[in-house]
Structure formats: structure tokens, C-alpha cells
Amino acid sequence: MLGRVEKKYGVVVVGGGPAGLGAALGARDYGEDKVLILDREPEAGGILLQCIHSGFGLHYFKEELTGPEYAQRFIEKVIDHDVDILPASYVSRIAADSDGIKKVRIINEKRGILTVEAQAVVLAMGCRERTRGAVRIPGTRPSGILTAGLAQKFVNLMGYLPGKKIAILGSGDIGLIMARRLSLEGCEVVGVFELMPYSNGLSRNVVQCLNDFNIPLHLSNTVAAIHGRDRVEKITVAPVGKDLKPDLARAWDVPCDTLLISIGLIPENELTQNLGISLDVATGGPRVSSTLETSMPGVFACGNVLHVHDLVDFVTNESLLAGRFAAELSRGVRRPGDNIQLLPGENVRYCVPHTLNPGHKHTVYLRCKAPMKPCKIRVGNLIEKKLRFVFPAEMIMLKLKPDLLDKFHGDSLRIDILPLAKEERND
Amino acid sequence: MTEAKQYTCIGCPIGCPLHLEHDGNTIKEVSGYECDRGAKYAHQEFIDPRRSLSTTVAISGAMWPRLPIRTCKPIHKDQVLEAVRKIQALKLQAPVKMGQVLIRDFMGEKGIDVVACRTMKRADESS
Ligand SMILES: Cc1cc2nc3c(=O)[nH]c(=O)nc-3n(C[C@H](O)[C@H](O)[C@H](O)COP(=O)(O)OP(=O)(O)OC[C@H]3O[C@@H](n4cnc5c(N)ncnc54)[C@H](O)[C@@H]3O)c2cc1C
Ligand code: SF4
């Protein structure tokens, strides 16, 4: 039921996006009957509510849904399963007392400040966007500079346009999707500028969001300065060399009234840090065990707060598990700790989870540092898997069989992505 | 006379550059793909390019002022802008249910409906 809240729960989930919804369902499916979802927004659904394009659910529902449809299917399930949802509730602090009970402090517009108790907490706060400050673009500070995701919220939920003549920095999927969205709404999108020599978005989005609308994509270019007193008037764009530094001698000006910034996402981990939980510098999220438990017992993490996902289906799979493990803990099941460290090796930027345990099946998510094709993934010297390609923007999912680690006696396992030798290529 | 068109395959992140040669409406040859999906895509793009369309429409009395909507099947690529303008003319009133048909046989095509992508209750109903 919406808005119901009690004093004590088995599992409290912070964040009501796809990760939080999945975790709540995972916990309920395991048999935990007291589950609460908290979200600071007026309704659950997370970022999906503003992602009105289709492309969600191909793996999980085997059909292509829009973000709001994917969200609603889960919200309905969660309500059917008698999970309590408390929207408009900002979680300001989590603390653990000496016997491991978690106290979650909530600020709710109508009810004021309240605290609920939980045996286990699942962190599912999602991520936020990197801003102008993260790349330190020189120039003035006029209005008209905003992140692409915020512009998406303005256009798709609140019904106002951020400007008329739009430039976009960064060619990740959010930037590309906003280029199309604003073109459909009658704005002129003057160009997308990308630092790297390749687009960070799916080729499908480059074709359908840029090419279809004749929007130029300038690879190996960046915004070197912003001009305008009250409102953005123009930007200076400069090509970059191998060192990724702008070559100002070849710079040119692009008139526009709005600059959208789409240069990556950072897991939202203030709460996590306040708990003293250890973070992974590469993901920006907490380090977790094979049960998605953080360094603080009884606190689990999943979704974009753990590492930035590009497919919501993977978020759902991961969070169903996180919810299940949280429910196990709240019902008193104790598993032996992990004894194998998983380490990123050659061309691997990160891998999650950070530790493994023999005798269980595991799903490992990883990202490469640089594109490579064709190639192979090697897990220690236990298995090898050939891949047609890897791209930094595409997360890789690797399933490990329960018996894989049975004969492994080391205490750390390295994952490498390596080019295929010539004789390995033809099959 | 043989002419050529270039496409980028959207089948996977490799994004193969596709080269299609045609004589009028007859396809002569497609090259550049690394798997069959690329060839299929080039054919589709040449014969009948289609796009799924999602956008929002104004809704009053709901929690948000915009309702996300989409066409239930892809429409002709050339008609996308005109379609958006037609849809923009819609003005809705809450409540609306997910999947509710807002326009039937849109743009004169049988079986292509414009549908609501979510339920929006009236603002005073949703607690
Ligand atoms: C613009 C964009 C486009 C995308 N397009 C696609 C696509 O086409 N296909 C696809 O499969 N995936 C896509 N994704 C990815 C996918 O949507 C995300 O990976 C997924 O939504 C992440 O889910 P989440 O639950 O971890 O985070 P979110 O959806 O961000 O949910 C986090 C929730 O936590 C709440 N929260 C945070 N902090 C607090 C706090 N302190 N107290 C209370 N509540 C809090 C937030 O309000 C939010 O509702 C896209 C993502 C973005 C941003
Ligand atoms: S042709 Fe095949 S390999 Fe090439 S982009 Fe298309 S789907 Fe990928």
C-alpha cells in the first residue's frame, strides 16, 4: 500500500528506481514479509520515468518497452507483493547500532523526520551526472548550461524546453537521445561534440538520433570555452590531439543558447561514505562480496549506485539477487565469507563483485578500458571466452558455473581481456 | 543506372558501414556487413525505413504535466516530424491508463495506434 510505514522492517531499500524495485521483489520472493522502499521523488520508478524512448526490457521481458512502461510493470508487481512504498522521503542518514540493527533516518514532507529500523538495508540510490565542474570548462557562468539528464526531466516530465539552439558535449546515449528528443520538440541541435575518437553511444543511437536529423557529430573535439553574460551566446569548440588537450589554434565558435553536458555518471554514494563503507575507485561504488554485501555487514548495494549500468535488465537481475541476500540475512541465514579476490587485469577497468566463493554460481559484470575486436576474456587460467568485440560503453556479463572454483586454490583471480592470436580467429 | 547508398548497421555496437547498390528500386548488391543482420537492415532501410516514435503530450489534473506516449508499431521514417506535430495537438485529462489507445489507425495506417506509456491518476487521487 502506498504511504504506509511501520517502525521495524526486515529489509529497507533506499531508492525506488529499477534497482530498488528489484531488490524489494527479491526480498519478498525469498520470504521476507516486511519490506519498505524509500524514495525522495514523488513516486517510485527512478530515472526510468523520464526515459520515454523504447529500448528497455529486451532481455528481461523479451519485448521492447519504454522506460515508464518498464517501471510501471515493476511498481505494480511490488504493490501486489505488499511491499510498503514511501515516496517523497529523503534518506538523510543510516547508522548501525552495536547489535547490527540499522536505523534509517527519513525526511518526509508531510510526516517530518522519522526513523525506521531494519535488519538489512539495500542501497539503490542510482547515480548522478557529471557537471561542467568535473571537466572545468573555462568561460563565463551564464544560464543555459545543464546536464542532459536534467534537461530530459524538464522536457519529458515537467514540460518545458531548456532552450532553442542546443549544443551537446559528450556522445553517450543520454546526450544522443536528448539530441533527438529536442529536435522532435522543434529545437535546433547544432552539434554533438565528443572528446574521444569514437562515440560513447550505441550505433543505433548515432543513426536514429543524429543521422536521421542531420545533426553533426564532431569526434575528437571538445568545448574549450563558454561565452555569454546572462545567457549562453556561443561556445568555442576545439579539436583535441592524442593527449586529449584542446588545440586552441584550430578552435572555432558555435552560436547556441544552451549547452547540454553529457559526460558520464557517478554513483550517488554520500550515504555509503557516511557509513564508512569502502569504495572502489574505478566504479565509484562500494566494494561488494559475491552476495552484493558491502564492507558493512547487513548493508547491500545494487544498480547504478554500485556501478553504472547501461542496460536496465542487468540492473533488475542484479537487484533481485541483492534483495534475496538481504532477506537471507534478515531471516538469520549466515553464509561463510568469500575467500577469493577478483582483480581487474589487462584491459579491464573494473569487475563487480570484488570477491567470490567456491561452490556457488556467480554473475560477474565488467567493463573494458579500450575497444578491442575480436578478443577473449580470460578468468585466471580457469576459463576463456571469445568475444566478437568489447566496448567501454557496453558492460560485459560473465556467468561462472558453481564448480568452476572447486579446484582453485589461490586467493586471488585475475580477469584479462586479450586480443585473439591469429590462429584463434577462424571459427 | 546503378546508384549507391551508405548506411550504418544498428544491429550491434560494431556498427558496420553498409554499402547498398541499386538500380531504381531494385537492390543490386549489399556489402560491408559482418553478419546477416547487416544485410537485412540495409534492405529494410532501402525499401521501407521505419522508426518507433515516443514523445509526450500535455495532460492536466495529473501529478506531472506531461504524459509519455508512443506508437505501438514503428512508423515511416519520413513521417516522424509530421506525426509529432499531430500528436502535440492532443490535450488530455487525467486519469489515463497504461496502454490506453489515444489515437487509432494513426497517420492513416491500419493497426498503428498511439498509446499511453503509463498510468496517470488524478493528482488528488494518488496519495
Ligand atoms: C538518460 C538515461 C537513458 C537510459 N537509457 C536506457 C535504455 O535505453 N535502455 C536501458 O536498458 N537502460 C537505459 N538506461 C539505464 C537504466 O535506466 C539505468 O541503469 C537504471 O535506471 C538504473 O537504476 P537504479 O535504480 O540503479 O537508479 P535510478 O533509476 O536512478 O533510481 C535511483 C532512485 O533512488 C532515489 N534516491 C537517491 N538517493 C536517495 C536518498 N538519499 N533518499 C531517497 N531516495 C533516493 C532517486 O530519487 C531515484 O528514484 C538509461 C539511463 C539514463 C540515465
Ligand atoms: S552487420 Fe552484424 S556485426 Fe555488423 S553491426 Fe550489424 S549486427 Fe553488428
Side-chain angles (χ1 to χ4, degrees):
Chain A
M1 238 185 290
L2 284 174
R4 183 175 67 191
V5 58
E6 292 174 36
K7 276 222 134 40
K8 289 190 173 146
Y9 284 90
V11 175
V12 167
V13 181
V14 186
L21 295 165
L25 279 176
R28 282 293 289 132
D29 283 345
Y30 184 76
E32 173 57 64
D33 42 45
K34 301 204 68 180
V35 181
L36 171 70
I37 297 177
L38 298 163
D39 201 293
R40 63 187 170 196
E41 292 293 322
E43 57 178 349
I47 206 83
L48 290 177
L49 297 177
Q50 66 185 60
C51 297
I52 63 160
H53 56 281
S54 61
F56 299 82
L58 269 176
H59 293 248
Y60 192 82
F61 288 114
K62 308 280 180 263
E63 58 181 304
E64 208 175 321
L65 303 172
T66 61
E69 289 168 316
Y70 192 95
Q72 189 166 333
R73 287 197 183 191
F74 270 94
I75 295 168
E76 282 170 1
K77 263 197 190 176
V78 160
I79 293 173
D80 268 359
H81 281 72
D82 266 332
V83 169
D84 291 351
I85 305 179
L86 193 64
S89 299
Y90 178 77
V91 174
S92 64
R93 209 182 133 82
I94 304 168
D97 66 16
S98 53
D99 33 319
I101 306 283
K102 314 289 175 299
K103 296 216 158 72
V104 180
R105 189 171 66 189
I106 306 159
I107 305 174
N108 177 280
E109 199 181 314
K110 294 208 181 92
R111 300 170 200 234
I113 295 178
L114 53 148
T115 303
V116 293
E117 283 185 9
Q119 300 288 331
V121 169
V122 181
L123 304 173
M125 290 92 74
C127 58
R128 61 163 167 250
E129 300 178 274
R130 294 172 79 204
T131 59
R132 173 185 182 177
V135 285
R136 284 182 253 159
I137 307 168
T140 53
R141 309 201 145 257
S143 73
I145 306 166
L146 66 166
T147 59
L150 181 62
Q152 189 179 47
K153 182 172 186 179
F154 283 169
V155 177
N156 292 344
L157 288 177
M158 301 162 84
Y160 40 83
L161 294 177
K164 294 198 177 92
K165 207 174 163 99
I166 320 260
I168 300 177
L169 173 62
S171 67
D173 289 314
I174 312 178
L176 301 181
I177 278 168
M178 280 316 288
R180 170 174 64 191
R181 188 71 194 103
L182 289 165
S183 303
L184 287 179
E185 290 295 335
C187 303
E188 181 193 355
V189 180
V190 293
V192 175
F193 306 95
E194 168 60 53
L195 185 71
M196 304 306 285
Y198 49 85
S199 162
N200 271 314
L202 296 172
S203 47
R204 162 173 148 149
N205 286 336
V206 174
V207 170
Q208 299 197 339
C209 301
L210 300 186
N211 302 359
D212 276 7
F213 297 90
N214 299 318
I215 298 168
L217 170 60
H218 300 275
L219 298 174
S220 295
N221 273 281
T222 192
V223 175
I226 299 171
H227 311 271
R229 209 184 77 96
D230 298 323
R231 180 77 196 186
V232 175
E233 283 161 15
K234 61 178 184 182
I235 55 172
T236 301
V237 173
V240 298
K242 277 227 157 61
D243 57 358
L244 301 182
K245 296 231 167 73
D247 175 2
L248 294 176
R250 287 155 61 214
W252 84 96
D253 284 349
V254 178
C256 57
D257 61 25
T258 304
L259 176 63
L260 295 194
I261 299 190
S262 175
I263 51 174
L265 305 164
I266 321 165
E268 175 94 51
N269 273 304
E270 272 64 36
L271 284 173
T272 323
Q273 274 171 308
N274 282 337
L275 276 165
I277 285 169
S278 71
L279 299 185
D280 174 343
V281 215
T283 57
R287 298 177 57 84
V288 291
S289 71
S290 59
T291 56
L292 300 170
E293 193 170 19
T294 65
S295 63
M296 172 168 285
V299 178
F300 299 77
C302 56
N304 279 355
V305 80
L306 178 54
H307 57 124
V308 174
H309 295 61
D310 29 60
L311 278 183
V312 73
D313 309 69
F314 290 174
V315 172
T316 296
N317 287 339
E318 183 180 271
S319 51
L320 285 167
L321 279 179
R324 180 214 153 93
F325 291 128
E328 269 188 13
L329 183 127
S330 87
R331 314 241 96 198
V333 178
R334 294 288 179 271
R335 288 182 179 237
D338 292 344
N339 54 2
I340 301 168
Q341 294 264 352
L342 195 60
L343 303 173
E346 206 63 45
N347 198 21
V348 176
R349 194 155 74 76
Y350 72 73
C351 42
V352 171
H354 299 79
T355 57
L356 301 177
N357 199 336
H360 295 277
K361 61 174 193 235
H362 295 290
T363 307
V364 175
Y365 295 102
L366 60 146
R367 261 182 215 280
C368 67
K369 288 182 182 156
M372 199 184 266
K373 82 167 203 179
C375 59
K376 62 182 175 190
I377 299 188
R378 203 169 64 188
V379 183
N381 45 20
L382 300 176
I383 46 162
E384 258 184 27
K385 191 180 162 190
K386 286 185 194 174
L387 290 178
R388 283 167 59 223
F389 57 83
V390 293
F391 285 96
E394 277 244 328
M395 198 163 73
I396 304 159
M397 183 179 74
L398 203 59
K399 295 214 164 187
L400 306 183
K401 295 211 173 84
D403 59 358
L404 181 74
L405 300 172
D406 282 359
K407 293 197 187 73
F408 181 74
H409 295 297
D411 52 13
S412 71
L413 198 56
R414 217 175 89 151
I415 299 195
D416 298 296
I417 299 177
L418 304 163
L420 281 190
K422 267 224 177 67
E423 61 277 12
E424 291 176 297
R425 289 195 182 190
N426 324 313
D427 54 53
Chain B
M1 198 190 72
T2 308
E3 284 171 286
K5 280 210 153 62
Q6 316 293 335
Y7 303 104
T8 307
C9 179
I10 62 166
C12 81
I14 293 181
C16 294
L18 306 173
H19 183 84
L20 179 145
E21 290 185 0
H22 63 102
D23 191 345
N25 286 334
T26 322
I27 298 172
K28 295 266 169 204
E29 203 197 336
V30 181
S31 56
Y33 51 88
E34 283 184 25
C35 75
D36 291 345
R37 266 192 289 170
K40 244 184 157 164
Y41 172 75
H43 276 86
Q44 176 73 34
E45 278 292 282
F46 182 72
I47 297 163
D48 182 22
R50 284 182 175 260
R51 298 289 184 265
S52 29
L53 174 64
S54 28
T55 180
T56 62
V57 294
I59 183 164
S60 55
M63 169 187 276
W64 301 104
R66 305 298 293 186
L67 174 80
I69 59 101
R70 66 174 171 116
T71 55
C72 67
K73 288 187 194 134
I75 60 172
H76 290 295
K77 182 186 158 196
D78 297 340
Q79 293 187 337
V80 165
L81 285 176
E82 194 192 333
V84 171
R85 247 170 280 128
K86 283 226 166 93
I87 291 172
Q88 269 169 352
L90 279 179
K91 297 256 182 302
L92 300 177
Q93 194 87 47
V96 172
K97 274 214 150 74
M98 177 162 78
Q100 188 175 325
V101 175
L102 306 172
I103 307 175
R104 205 170 281 284
D105 300 335
F106 184 51
M107 305 292 283
E109 272 196 88
K110 266 237 148 336
I112 298 199
D113 300 334
V114 173
V115 297
C117 293
R118 61 167 291 176
T119 296
M120 281 248 211
K121 292 189 184 146
R122 287 175 34 169
D124 43 27
E125 264 179 61
S126 42
S127 59

